[in-house]
Amino acid sequence: MENQTFKEAIKSYLDERARTDELFAKSYAKENKNLDECCSYIMGEARKRGNAVAMSDTEVFGMAVHYYDEDDIKVNKLPSGTRAVASTSPQPAKLTEEDIQRAREEAIKRLTEEQYVLLKKKSSRGKKEATEVQQMSLF
């Protein structure tokens, strides 16, 4: 499904990140996470942006870290023929502290927005149930 070079680039980055970031190493070792699903998650997020998407290394690696950090991420099955093309360099990508901080902030923002939408849905569902209960108690 994914281009092997894409998967290798993601793995190389995550391996390096786990070696230098103790907190991430714990997330990276989670048994319920795997590289194939991580790549599918990234591809699915990119697909939401359109059919032909260009993303920076920082965005892609930020999504990979986000996948491993969060336990409640749903990965949608990708349509057949979905491909990723990665530009590869001889050395693994090095992120500056600023890049890491920006990726974290973007991940937190996305998560916050997702949680807000879920809470809003639950809140509106709760109001409907409360209304129904009130109506039933009047009879």
Side-chain angles (χ1 to χ4, degrees), residues 80-99:
S80 63
T82 303
R83 294 183 323 118
V85 178
S87 61
T88 55
S89 58
Q91 297 114 5
K94 301 279 185 196
L95 292 179
T96 65
E97 285 299 318
E98 183 180 299
D99 290 337

Side-chain angles (χ1 to χ4, degrees), residues 1 15 18 23 38 41 52 56 58 74 76-77 115 125 139:
M1 191 182 303
D15 289 346
L23 186 60
C38 176
Y41 168 72
S56 69
T58 304
K74 292 180 183 173
N76 297 322
K77 189 169 178 136
Q115 288 177 339
R125 218 177 333 171
F139 297 108

Side-chain angles (χ1 to χ4, degrees), residues 10-131:
I10 298 296
K11 182 177 182 346
S12 175
Y13 172 79
L14 294 173
D15 289 346
E16 176 67 23
R17 176 79 182 254
R19 212 175 30 236
T20 59
D21 183 342
E22 205 174 296
L23 186 60
F24 177 71
K26 292 176 184 174
S27 294
Y28 192 43
K30 291 178 181 176
E31 289 183 20
N32 62 329
K33 302 288 184 167
N34 64 67
L35 188 61
D36 287 331
E37 195 173 80
C38 176
C39 291
S40 292
Y41 168 72
I42 295 167
M43 294 291 291
E45 291 300 301
R47 185 124 172 99
K48 289 177 185 176
R49 297 179 185 186
N51 290 330
V53 178
M55 294 174 27
S56 69
D57 289 353
T58 304
E59 286 179 284
V60 173
F61 294 141
M63 286 182 191
V65 170
H66 180 70
Y67 165 80
Y68 279 95
D69 282 344
E70 301 303 323
D71 290 323
D72 59 348
I73 288 181
K74 292 180 183 173
V75 178
N76 297 322
K77 189 169 178 136
L78 296 172
S80 63
T82 303
R83 294 183 323 118
V85 178
S87 61
T88 55
S89 58
Q91 297 114 5
K94 301 279 185 196
L95 292 179
T96 65
E97 285 299 318
E98 183 180 299
D99 290 337
I100 293 169
Q101 185 61 32
R102 189 176 325 120
R104 257 196 194 124
E105 288 170 1
E106 288 172 6
I108 290 170
K109 182 181 175 190
R110 270 194 312 275
L111 179 62
T112 303
E113 289 169 353
E114 290 170 7
Q115 288 177 339
Y116 175 75
V117 169
L118 287 174
L119 285 173
K120 198 170 181 179
K121 285 180 182 177
K122 286 181 182 177
S123 174
S124 66
R125 218 177 333 171
K127 288 178 184 175
K128 288 178 185 175
E129 290 171 3
T131 304

